[in-house]
Each structure stands twice: as structure tokens, then as C-alpha cells.
Amino acid sequence: MGESVPGRAVIPLFPLGTPLFPGVVLPLQIFEPRYRRLIAELGALPEGPERRFGVVAIRQGWEVEQVAPAEALFDVGCTAVLRLISPRPDGGYRVVAVGGERFRLLDVLLPDPDSGEPPYLRAEVEWLVEEEAAEEAAGDSEAAGEGHPPALTGPGPGKDAADGPGDDVVTDVVRGSLELLAGNVRELFARYVADVAVRQSGGVGALPEDVLAALTGDGEDGEDGAEADPTASALREVSDDARGLSWLVASAALLTTEDRQALLAESATRRRLTLESRLLRRELTLLRTLGAVPVPLAQFAGPLTPN
């Protein structure tokens, strides 16, 4: 479960039908013997980031146990860090985990029952932290080039680069363009949630006002301490966090596994938000054309944590 070489590790693997995203809460009921053992082993560790397993989405129509796991699984996943372990009378567990770090699968290690190895899948992975940093920087460079004339990105006449205002101007342009993009996605997502609510209820009376209020941050919890709509609450939590917003939309919107996986695999927040803008516009068009949604609104959003 520990590091083998810098930037890589061998971790337990937990295939699921959909990707997990950083910061998103994942509740699970554990009943298979091999995963009971996994949770017992992780539960024996001190609380912290080492209480983790890797979640990787299964390709649609593939059975992990009947084909080579590396072919049945997508190649980018996210760790799940255990926050709560509750044993059940039948020997299983209820657990709550939170999405942690993204990784890329390098190799899937099959259990060998004769060797005394753990009975669950494990994988050698590489962490994507450095890739994320490089992609974020590349995305910012693209935004600076697209958002401002070249004359404002360098020093003026008679000025050294260190003395010129160019760097500050570029930084402001980059930050502003990201805020505009995030605001656009936030507005599209709130309209999308509202459209789903209307179609689920059959009328505008159930339009979630606190979802729309979350756009401006004005939404409050209900009277007498009642909790606001979870989607609105999550939107408020990430109101000033473009990266958190991108993960909320990726996890909560009613997208295909392939669409969600594409968002998980994108390392740059700016590019992820750009893709989400296109996907949300597509989904809004489909909602308004077909007039139906495939699942209840209660399944729409999962809790989000900043940790």
C-alpha cells in the first residue's frame, strides 16, 4: 500500500460502475468477503490519508472477473480515503469515504490465493499531481495568450521585464477569464438542476429556489434549522472555487460514464470547465427536447467536502 518509487505506489483497487471525483463523498456498503478484509486492514491503520483504496470505473459491458482487469477498467481513477467505518452485525461494513488524489493505472495485480496475498485487486499507479500542475500552467498560458494582446504580456519601452506591469496584467486576465468560465458553468448547472426539478415534479411549483439563489451566494438554510437543498449547499461551498465547482458538476450531472471519465481524466480545471460547459448545454437541449430525465432528482447530487 506504500510508495515503491517516487510518484508511484501500489494500492488496493475497488472497481465501481462510475468514477469517483476529488472531494466527493462516497458511501458504500461492504459485503463481499475480499472487501471486508480490505476494510478491516485499512481500519487497523491510524486515521489519515493512508486509509485509502483506489476507485476505478468499469467500462460499460465489461466484467472485471471474466476479462483482463486492465482491459475492463478505465485508466484514470481517484483514491477514496476512509472517514467512517461502521461494522454491521452480518460481518459487513457501512463506510463513508471521500475522493482524494487522481492517479493513472500502470498495472493491475491479480490476487494469488496460494501466495498469501490479499484476495482483492491491487494496482501499481502513478499520481497525477505533477501532471495537474503542468496542465494548469499550460491552461493559464493559453488563456493569457487568447485573452490579451501580445503587447501587454511583455515589458514596455525602456522597462525591464521585472519592472513592467505585464505580469500583473496577465495574471489578472487569467484569473478573470477563469472566474468568467466558472460563473458560466455555475449558471448552466443551476438551470440544468432547475429543469430536472420541473420535469420531475410536472410543474414550476417545485422549482428549487435555493439552487438558483446559490448562484449569487444568497441562499440560506431553511427555517428552524432545516437543511437547504444539497445541490444548492454544495454550490455555495464551491462558490469561489473553480476546481471544486468542476468536480461537483462532474459528479452530480446526469452524464454517461464515458463523459464523467473524460472529465476525471482532464487535469486542467480550465479545460474541464470548458468541457462541462459544452456538456451542460447539450444536456439542457436534450432535456428541453425530450422533456424527461432518467433518474429522480434525489439521486442528482452527492455531498462535497473541501478536504
Side-chain angles (χ1 to χ4, degrees):
M1 297 183 188
E3 291 277 349
S4 52
V5 297
R8 297 187 180 186
V10 175
I11 60 174
L13 209 58
F14 199 110
L16 286 177
T18 189
L20 174 66
F21 298 93
V24 173
V25 175
L26 175 68
L28 291 171
Q29 295 200 43
I30 306 298
F31 55 88
E32 288 191 50
R34 56 181 170 173
Y35 294 123
R36 290 183 185 183
R37 175 170 165 178
L38 169 61
I39 298 304
E41 290 175 352
L42 293 176
L45 299 175
E47 291 188 17
E50 290 303 312
R51 278 191 176 186
R52 68 186 177 193
F53 53 88
V55 172
V56 182
I58 304 169
R59 295 183 185 275
Q60 187 174 6
W62 291 72
E63 293 291 340
V64 177
E65 303 299 335
Q66 297 179 10
V67 298
E71 297 177 11
L73 301 173
F74 286 99
D75 64 342
V76 175
C78 180
T79 58
V81 181
L82 285 174
R83 295 294 179 83
L84 177 66
I85 302 174
S86 177
R88 294 170 51 90
D90 62 3
Y93 297 91
R94 285 193 180 97
V95 304
V96 176
V98 177
E101 296 184 64
R102 295 165 60 251
F103 60 82
R104 181 175 289 109
L105 282 180
L106 298 177
D107 191 20
V108 178
L109 309 177
L110 298 175
D112 182 355
D114 298 326
S115 67
E117 294 178 349
Y120 44 80
L121 292 174
R122 295 178 298 153
E124 182 182 1
V125 304
E126 64 175 348
W127 306 116
L128 298 181
V129 175
E130 291 186 5
E131 178 180 302
E132 288 176 2
E135 289 292 327
E136 295 285 13
D140 288 346
S141 297
E142 290 176 7
E146 294 171 0
H148 214 72
L152 292 181
T153 63
K159 291 181 176 286
D160 292 331
D163 297 330
D167 287 346
D168 291 339
V169 172
V170 172
T171 299
D172 289 344
V173 168
V174 169
R175 184 182 298 115
S177 64
L178 181 59
E179 290 174 355
L180 286 173
L181 178 58
N184 173 257
V185 170
R186 189 181 297 111
E187 181 179 355
L188 284 169
F189 183 57
R191 285 164 50 193
Y192 175 59
V193 173
D195 269 28
V196 171
V198 169
R199 281 157 179 75
Q200 285 289 345
S201 67
V204 297
L207 190 73
E209 294 294 341
D210 49 356
V211 171
L212 300 179
L215 284 172
T216 59
D218 294 333
E220 300 290 343
D221 285 349
E223 296 180 1
D224 301 323
E227 293 184 358
D229 179 274
T231 307
S233 299
L235 274 170
R236 284 196 295 276
E237 285 183 25
V238 298
S239 59
D240 297 319
D241 179 4
R243 184 174 184 269
L245 172 67
S246 73
W247 294 133
L248 170 64
V249 173
S251 66
L254 308 179
L255 302 172
T256 66
T257 299
E258 288 74 14
D259 285 337
R260 292 186 177 194
Q261 186 64 36
L263 293 170
L264 178 65
E266 178 54 72
S267 290
T269 300
R270 189 182 305 277
R271 294 172 186 160
R272 192 180 310 115
L273 287 169
T274 299
L275 176 56
E276 287 172 342
S277 178
R278 293 199 299 267
L279 290 172
L280 287 171
R281 291 178 190 280
R282 181 195 72 186
E283 294 301 309
L284 278 166
T285 299
L286 290 173
L287 278 171
R288 292 167 183 177
T289 301
L290 300 178
V293 291
V295 296
L297 185 60
Q299 300 179 25
F300 203 78
L304 194 75
T305 172
N307 299 318

